[in-house]
Amino acid sequence: MGGTYTYPRYAFAAVGEQGARHPVVVVGGGMVGLAVALDLAQRGQSVVVLDDDDTVSIGSRAICHAKRSLEIYGRLGVGPALLRKGVIWNVGKVFFHDRQVYAFDLLPEPGHEYPAFVNLQQYYLEEWLVDACRASGLVELRWKSRVAAVANRADGVALTVATPAGSYDLHADWLLACDGARSFVRESLGLPFVGKVFRDRFLIADVVMQAAFPAERWFWFDPPFHPGGSVLLHRQADNVWRIDFQLGWDADPEAEKDPERVAGRVRAMLGPDVEFTLEWISVYTFRCRRLEKFRHGRTIFLGDAAHQVSPFGARGGNGGTQDADNLAWKLAAVLQGAAPEALLDSYDAERIPAADENILNSTRSTDFITPKNHAARAYRDAALELAEHYAFARPLVNSGRLSRPAVLRESPLSTPDREDWLGGLPPGAPAVDAPVRRDGADDWLLHHLGGNAFTLLLFGRPGDFPAGVLAQLGQGRLPVRPVFVTAMAEEGALHDHQGLAAARYDARPGTAILLRPDQHVAARWRAFEAAAVAQARLAALGFAAADTQRMAG
Amino acid sequence: MLETTPRLDDPDGLFEALVEAHRGLDPEASRRLDARIILLLANHIGSVAVVRAAIDAALNAAPDTRAKAAP
């Protein structure tokens, strides 16, 4: 099996040091671990990554990358490659028995750099992240390095690392556990990982074929070629197709992995005339569960190590990517002395509600796809029968609620609105893209937001705002950097030539919007006032309210 | 909000229509038919809160389901 992708092999290098101290150690060089390492490196922070293997993700795994993830990878520099190599899709079709009951179109809004979804095998993304980590000069990737022991200390975490050249100890000031659903770090620390187990099994068959299927998401409930189960078809790069068969709880996982048996299932689906080869087979069960807290002293959990969801809705990989996006700037700020350690508690406050939202949605999808009793099946089938004829029933059909970016509504870092807004982006929302022009050249708004600073989006010409005060806000670590947006082309401003930036942010002349380094809205005002901006920045850095007033003067 | 006072202009006709719709159906088809009717009516009502109140009222109305009703 296999053949469309050649797995890179990364060289193991023996580590001479014993008991060395590192500010940040990431356990698990998968998608999330590499993303958080690269994000930290781009903020000037050195990172050691430990991975027990010497290559990227085996199998395509997380293939469905949502817009917010694409924007995050865009900020990290690998977004354009994802767009070039990946498969963009907008249409989904739902079938029941032998009939199509409806189709949906995600109808992507124009005027964004990235589409709603791009499908791409996880190994490509990881390979590019490895390359970017290496190029950063600040990420040390240690392959064939398995964490064999973990002990929390007051000032960090003591690790024992097993390698082909023997074991060594090291001390991490901060340990980022990105070691997946079966996290060794989580189990070593004895942390309960509780939630719902689903009594069902699924088979993934990645199939290479030259087929006439369009790049769409097709979902079958109880089709003639797979009676009693569901089937999902998704296109990936290189003419690889993901086919996901629901097998039921009684299926024998070993027998189901037999390539002949899988080929029989695929042939029943595609018909006898479609030529295909099998690329990857996996049989899996899943749970929806999470850790009670993601931060445990100096150990912080991200991705599947922190929370696990069903695959329906593409909320696993996309949730993990948002964890990395949320944590990296905070940890860098704390390590570089720009923020108090309390800022890291906001990772729990922001990402736990986001994980719960993903768990709720993916649990509901799973309950629809796998009815628990006769009544549940009757309601599900009734919704599908009605959906063929009546639009009202289509929103009831749940074949996966596709990942949406988390709006950090209850964030302790946000400064609540004091004025009236007609929509736009409330504090906690991730920034939304818009086409702009800079010096006459086409550009995107998101390219100018976040990074190693707060961004103050000012709707007006540079001359409309007090330059001296803005220069003061631009001092120090993680300063406030102004970005001017104007309706007409102006020197030193982004030209909002379609008016979409103003519309999407509900901006009027003079509006000021403060964005965090991860491009989430921290605060917004109808008029610029330096003291309010300084105070909102300090609040977003996790300083206590009494301190922000004093420090903002 | 859930209206439970008598409102139907032809209660005997309603009962007859429901029974007639199910005549000749096996239990599984009957169950799906009821589910379709409930989903159509729920959408017509247009309020999940009212349907939740109806679910509770229905659970409370018989001794074998009362324990499942909201306290």
Side-chain angles (χ1 to χ4, degrees), chain A residues 205-218:
Chain A
D206 273 1
V207 167
V208 189
M209 59 178 174
Q210 305 290 334
F213 295 113
E216 298 174 350
R217 177 189 198 264
W218 288 13

Side-chain angles (χ1 to χ4, degrees), chain A residues 488-548:
Chain A
M488 309 301 288
E490 301 279 354
E491 181 79 24
L494 297 176
H495 179 197
D496 185 17
H497 59 293
Q498 295 182 23
L500 285 173
R504 288 173 183 169
Y505 287 77
D506 183 28
R508 299 178 204 152
T511 289
I513 296 172
L514 183 67
L515 293 130
R516 311 183 336 186
D518 62 357
Q519 300 181 333
H520 279 259
V521 174
R524 57 179 179 171
W525 305 271
R526 283 298 179 197
F528 168 71
E529 196 207 316
V533 173
Q535 204 171 321
R537 171 185 169 276
L538 290 170
L541 286 171
F543 288 98
D547 295 333
T548 64

Side-chain angles (χ1 to χ4, degrees), chain A residues 253-289:
Chain A
E254 283 314 307
E256 291 295 346
K257 279 185 212 160
D258 173 21
E260 269 313 301
R261 190 177 177 115
V262 175
R265 291 193 184 280
V266 174
R267 210 171 291 117
M269 174 180 176
L270 301 174
D273 302 329
V274 178
E275 300 251 327
F276 64 88
T277 55
L278 293 171
E279 174 97 354
W280 179 57
I281 295 170
S282 172
V283 173
Y284 65 95
T285 58
F286 54 77
R287 298 164 183 229
C288 288
R289 54 184 177 172

Side-chain angles (χ1 to χ4, degrees), chain A residues 183-205:
Chain A
S183 168
F184 175 81
V185 174
R186 188 188 65 228
E187 284 170 12
S188 301
L189 297 178
L191 301 172
F193 198 41
V194 289
K196 204 168 164 183
V197 184
F198 293 91
R199 292 170 63 82
D200 207 342
R201 292 184 203 282
F202 290 82
L203 164 71
I204 287 178

